[in-house]
Amino acid sequence: MSLLTVLRLSRIGGNVVVPAQYAIQTKNYAAPIDKRKQRVMKSQKIHLPVEKDVNKLINYCCGSNIYKEGEDIKLKPDSEYPEWLWNIRTEPPKLSDLDPNTKQYWRYIRKRALLRKNQMLKFIRPKYH
């Protein structure tokens, strides 16, 4: 037997040889999990501060400062921002707005078909619990 094999194996009782990883598990070298600590960790929630100052909400982009020091970005008047910013679409496109000769149109059709198929399969498939 090589030296590495001897180091990895430990003897339990007579001539029974068990790999070290199993010997550690059976001898309870790992600390048992305390159920009280688990409950305490689950019940703790992180409460994020919410800005309630109306003046600050109007004049600053709240939450833009990721550093401990400094302040949030001050908002500028609308005239200082580029014109294209005000033309950005914020809602999803409608099918009537899309051209059938574009890839975006066919991706939209495929996505809607997959969603419809998945909705129909919900009622057909039996639920296993």
Side-chain angles (χ1 to χ4, degrees), residues 1-12 15-24 27:
M1 221 187 269
S2 69
L3 180 61
L4 287 175
T5 309
V6 172
L7 290 176
R8 273 195 246 145
L9 301 176
S10 64
R11 296 191 179 273
I12 301 174
N15 292 331
V16 178
V17 178
V18 178
Q21 65 183 18
Y22 299 113
I24 290 172
K27 292 182 180 179

Side-chain angles (χ1 to χ4, degrees), residues 77-91:
D78 290 350
S79 61
E80 293 194 31
Y81 292 105
E83 188 60 36
W84 59 264
L85 183 65
W86 310 113
N87 298 328
I88 293 178
R89 178 181 289 170
T90 55
E91 68 274 346

Side-chain angles (χ1 to χ4, degrees), residues 75 80 127:
L75 297 176
E80 293 194 31
K127 295 180 182 178

Side-chain angles (χ1 to χ4, degrees), residues 45-96:
K45 294 183 180 179
I46 298 173
H47 296 285
L48 298 175
V50 177
E51 187 62 50
K52 295 180 181 178
D53 183 18
V54 177
N55 192 27
K56 189 169 182 181
L57 287 170
I58 292 172
N59 295 321
Y60 291 92
C61 180
C62 296
S64 61
N65 182 23
I66 60 171
Y67 303 109
K68 292 182 179 180
E69 300 170 356
E71 62 180 24
D72 292 327
I73 298 171
K74 185 163 177 51
L75 297 176
K76 300 174 185 176
D78 290 350
S79 61
E80 293 194 31
Y81 292 105
E83 188 60 36
W84 59 264
L85 183 65
W86 310 113
N87 298 328
I88 293 178
R89 178 181 289 170
T90 55
E91 68 274 346
K94 296 178 184 173
L95 185 60
S96 59

